[in-house]
């Protein structure tokens, strides 16, 4: 039996309740009697922006296609909804089942651009989690980051247990398999993070110590001899097209009001101002 946040008293008080009710065409509603591992996928910006992000939808469908796994979504609430959640002392929740984020096994944040970093802290606070990873004990879900900005993870490293560098389609299932195994073996949070450090593309901030001089990051010192660097994860081929043949259809008009199909990843031009052109190499 899972907890369900009651939104009835506050939905009439916000500008766009459609952002928070879920039930979109092609969304997945897990039967938790058949689920042993749950994942909350968080886009730390408004629903209209997050629903235009194809990466989150890809991960959503990859996880939900696996037996025993459930992925639900959460987007950063607008200021009016945030105010109502705090006033009524309600936790931030997932769209599909309105389950509090703190009850999931993992909370996974997309890091699309730096201006959303403060929203990450808002989401953690509304979910009832300590902001810093070092303050979260075994009872809290693991907090994972990934996406474009993960290639420069240090500005937000203190808030994450793990950060994925590179493409997420394969590594997300590797992480879930490792976490499931660690739970079955009764590992502590620290032991679990050590196990995750063995996965290619996974950066565990607690296993490194940043060095600063005059406020500038000068070095990142590894704390384990066998874990001194992280290699970016690259999928050799784009994910199968059938993953997005049943896309989530927004209830509120998104910023990219169209159907997107990924026909390539990366760019041959190499413009230095273009984040995607740099970090999504090689071109596929």
């Amino acid at each position: 039996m899972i907890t369900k946040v009651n939104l009835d008293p506050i939905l009439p008080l916000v500008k766009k309740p459609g952002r928070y009710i879920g039930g979109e065409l092609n969304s997945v509603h897990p039967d938790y009697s058949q689920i042993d591992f749950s994942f909350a996928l968080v886009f730390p910006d408004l629903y209209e922006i997050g629903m235009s992000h194809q990466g989150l939808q890809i991960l959503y469908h990859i996880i939900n296609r696996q037996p025993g796994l459930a992925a639900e979504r959460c987007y950063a609430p607008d200021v009016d909804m945030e105010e109502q959640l705090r006033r009524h002392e309600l936790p931030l929740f997932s769209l599909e089942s309105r389950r509090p984020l703190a009850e999931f096994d993992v909370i996974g944040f997309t890091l699309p651009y730096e201006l959303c970093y403060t929203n990450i802290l808002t989401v953690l606070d509304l979910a009832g989690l300590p902001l810093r990873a070092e303050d979260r004990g075994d009872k809290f879900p693991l907090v994972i980051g990934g996406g474009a900005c993960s290639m420069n993870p240090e500005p937000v490293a203190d808030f994450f247990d793990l950060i994925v560098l590179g493409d997420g389609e394969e590594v997300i299932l590797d992480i879930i398999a490792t976490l499931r195994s660690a739970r079955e073996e009764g590992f502590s949070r620290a032991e679990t993070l050590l196990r995750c450090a063995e996965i290619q593309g996974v950066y565990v901030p607690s296993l490194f110590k940043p060095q600063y001089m005059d406020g500038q990051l000068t070095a990142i010192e590894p704390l384990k001899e066998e874990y001194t660097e992280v290699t970016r994860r690259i999928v050799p081929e784009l994910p199968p097209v059938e993953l997005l043949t049943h896309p989530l259809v927004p209830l509120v008009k998104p910023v990219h009001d169209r159907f997107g199909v990924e026909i390539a990843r990366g760019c041959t031009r190499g413009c230095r101002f273009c984040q995607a052109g740099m970090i999504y190499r090689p071109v596929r």
Side-chain angles (χ1 to χ4, degrees):
M1 189 69 180
I2 66 168
T3 307
K4 185 174 182 178
V5 177
N6 181 18
L7 299 182
D8 293 346
I10 63 175
L11 281 179
L13 306 177
V14 300
K15 291 181 296 184
K16 294 183 180 180
R19 291 167 167 164
Y20 312 107
I21 61 175
E24 299 95 339
L25 181 65
N26 297 323
S27 60
V28 178
H29 299 270
D31 175 7
Y32 276 96
S33 66
Q34 307 296 320
I35 300 300
D36 61 63
F37 198 91
S38 58
F39 208 109
L41 292 168
V42 179
F43 192 92
D45 211 326
L46 294 177
Y47 176 91
E48 296 93 313
I49 301 173
M51 281 295 285
S52 297
H53 189 265
Q54 202 159 22
L56 187 143
Q57 289 211 29
I58 290 173
L59 295 180
Y60 179 82
H61 290 297
I62 286 176
I63 295 172
N64 280 317
R65 287 169 58 148
Q66 306 301 315
L69 301 185
E72 301 192 36
R73 295 164 296 130
C74 175
Y75 304 94
D78 204 349
V79 291
D80 57 347
M81 176 56 102
E82 179 183 351
E83 178 185 358
Q84 294 301 325
L85 289 173
R86 295 189 187 279
R87 179 176 297 175
H88 290 80
E89 298 182 346
L90 295 174
L92 192 57
F93 53 90
S94 64
L95 264 62
E96 281 76 6
S97 65
R98 298 187 185 175
R99 185 183 187 186
L101 293 191
E103 293 187 5
F104 284 83
D105 295 303
V106 173
I107 299 176
F109 283 88
T110 297
L111 307 178
Y113 35 81
E114 293 83 355
L115 289 176
C116 71
Y117 282 175
T118 54
N119 293 340
I120 295 170
L121 303 183
T122 298
V123 168
L124 291 174
D125 187 44
L126 288 173
L129 273 65
L131 298 184
R132 295 181 178 271
E134 63 185 6
D135 298 327
R136 295 194 289 265
D138 289 348
K139 69 174 184 177
F140 292 105
L142 281 181
V143 179
I144 298 177
C149 283
S150 69
M151 300 306 295
N152 180 29
E154 209 53 40
V156 292
D158 288 345
F159 312 116
F160 289 93
D161 297 293
L162 309 173
I163 297 178
V164 174
L165 309 185
D167 299 321
E169 290 91 340
E170 295 176 349
V171 70
I172 192 67
L173 295 181
D174 291 344
I175 291 172
I176 291 174
T178 300
L179 296 179
R180 271 172 147 176
S181 174
R183 184 170 62 185
E184 291 174 1
E185 297 180 43
F187 283 12
S188 67
R189 196 180 192 90
E191 291 171 328
T192 299
L193 294 178
L194 281 173
R195 179 72 66 86
C196 289
E198 300 173 3
I199 304 171
Q200 181 186 342
V202 172
Y203 169 46
V204 182
S206 61
L207 299 182
F208 292 84
K209 183 178 180 181
Q211 303 291 338
Y212 293 91
M213 180 177 294
D214 298 327
Q216 299 293 317
L217 181 67
T218 57
I220 301 179
E221 176 187 347
L223 302 179
K224 297 287 183 180
E225 291 184 2
E226 66 278 11
Y227 183 56
T228 59
E229 61 182 24
V230 180
T231 303
R232 177 169 64 113
R233 193 70 174 255
I234 300 173
V235 294
E237 297 181 6
L238 296 184
V241 69
E242 61 264 22
L243 280 174
L244 288 177
T245 53
H246 296 84
L248 297 168
V249 180
L251 299 179
V252 175
K253 185 177 181 179
V255 292
H256 295 160
D257 191 12
R258 57 182 178 266
F259 176 70
V261 178
E262 186 181 28
I263 61 170
R265 188 173 298 178
C267 178
T268 60
R269 295 180 180 271
C271 303
R272 294 301 301 180
F273 63 82
C274 176
Q275 182 194 58
M278 289 288 106
I279 67 173
Y280 289 127
R281 293 179 173 184
V283 178
R284 285 149 287 169

